[in-house]
Every structure is written in structure tokens, then in C-alpha cells.
Amino acid sequence: MEWWQILIIVLAAVAAVIIILYILGKRAKKKQEAQQEQIEASKQTLSMLIIDKKKLRIKDSGLPQMVIDQTPKLMRRTKLPVVKAKVGPKIMTFIAEASVYEIIPVKKEIKATVSGLYIIGAKGIRGSLEQPKSKKKKESAFNRLLRKGRGEI
């Protein structure tokens, strides 16, 4: 086989993979849009007292068994942002969106936008919620070398 024949075969394989990934990406986007519409349709605002918040595995979270059984097997190992809150006389366990989890204060009362067991928004009842302090990320060794090369140190 000539080198150009091998090159054509490799390029055809790469093109096929790119087309497959494009199609799968479109399907995933449609699914996500449908899920987002469902969340928006069933959202409601609740007043709740936050008792505790942690990042836990789904089986350790205290969520109902039905919810645990419906999650995909790969998701069962990942840690979820779980919030325990008192809503009226009941203590309930919720899953928070990652961006909302950061601003939820512990031992304070908030107004949360909830869709089922999923917290999608939070507002403070007495004043605004404090934004978390941004953590300073450690600079990578490659970026340090680039800055040294440019003479910025």
C-alpha cells in the first residue's frame, strides 16, 4: 500500500468520527433543551431554612430510593451538591445547581426556586446573599516559564 492510500483511509476515518460526534452532540443538545423546558414549567418558589449543605455521593445523600434508582450508573459515583433544608414543618433533601450551591448560606432562611428536588435559584429573604470569595488558582509551571521568558517577573 502506498503512503497516500493510508492517508486517505485515516482521513476518512477521522471524518466519520467527526460526523458521528456532531450528530450525537445535536441529539444531546435537543435532550437538554427538552429537560430545561420541563424544569422551567414545573418551577416554584419556596421559603426554606438551610440546615446543611455538602457534596455527597447519591447513595449517601438521603434522597428517595426512587431517585437513586433512576440515575444512570455512571452518575452514582459522582458527588452531588446536596442541601438539607426545612420547608414548612418538613426537613427535605434537595440537589442544588452548582452555581447556586456556592451562594446558599447555611443556617439562614432563603427563598429558593425549586423544580421537584432540584434547586435552580436562590434569593435572600433578609438582604442579598453573599457571593463566594473567588479562590486564587495556582499558576501552572508552563505559564510561570512563559512569564519568565517574557521578563514579567
Side-chain angles (χ1 to χ4, degrees):
M1 242 194 209
E2 297 278 332
W3 65 271
W4 58 271
Q5 291 173 330
I6 295 173
L7 181 66
I8 289 174
I9 293 170
V10 169
L11 288 176
V14 169
V17 168
I18 289 174
I19 290 170
I20 290 171
L21 288 176
Y22 177 75
I23 292 169
L24 291 176
K26 277 185 129 179
R27 284 185 188 166
K29 187 175 180 181
K30 285 180 184 176
K31 276 185 182 179
Q32 186 209 18
E33 288 173 353
Q35 288 173 347
Q36 195 64 33
E37 287 176 14
Q38 285 180 332
I39 287 174
E40 290 296 322
S42 66
K43 72 179 180 181
Q44 57 186 340
T45 304
L46 299 174
S47 178
M48 58 177 65
L49 174 68
I50 305 300
I51 296 172
D52 189 23
K53 69 176 192 172
K54 293 180 184 174
K55 291 196 177 196
L56 298 170
R57 290 205 164 91
I58 195 160
K59 68 179 182 182
D60 302 331
S61 65
L63 291 168
Q65 188 63 36
M66 192 171 104
V67 173
I68 295 171
D69 293 340
Q70 288 178 353
T71 56
K73 296 220 185 275
L74 292 175
M75 284 294 295
R76 292 184 189 174
R77 291 188 174 202
T78 61
K79 291 188 175 184
L80 297 172
V82 176
V83 176
K84 282 196 176 215
K86 185 175 182 184
V87 181
K90 284 186 181 179
I91 294 178
M92 298 178 69
T93 305
F94 295 96
I95 300 171
E97 199 169 276
S99 60
V100 176
Y101 177 78
E102 299 298 324
I103 64 170
I104 294 177
V106 180
K107 307 279 189 223
K108 292 195 177 169
E109 198 169 351
I110 64 168
K111 277 206 180 283
T113 307
V114 177
S115 178
L117 294 176
Y118 194 63
I119 300 175
I120 56 176
K123 295 179 189 170
I125 289 182
R126 294 168 188 86
S128 64
L129 298 177
E130 294 178 17
Q131 296 296 325
K133 296 176 183 170
S134 61
K135 295 177 184 174
K136 190 173 184 180
K137 292 185 180 180
K138 188 175 178 182
E139 189 176 20
S140 69
F142 181 72
N143 287 339
R144 279 195 303 263
L145 286 173
L146 282 177
R147 282 194 316 122
K148 281 183 182 177
R150 287 187 224 136
E152 292 179 10
I153 287 184

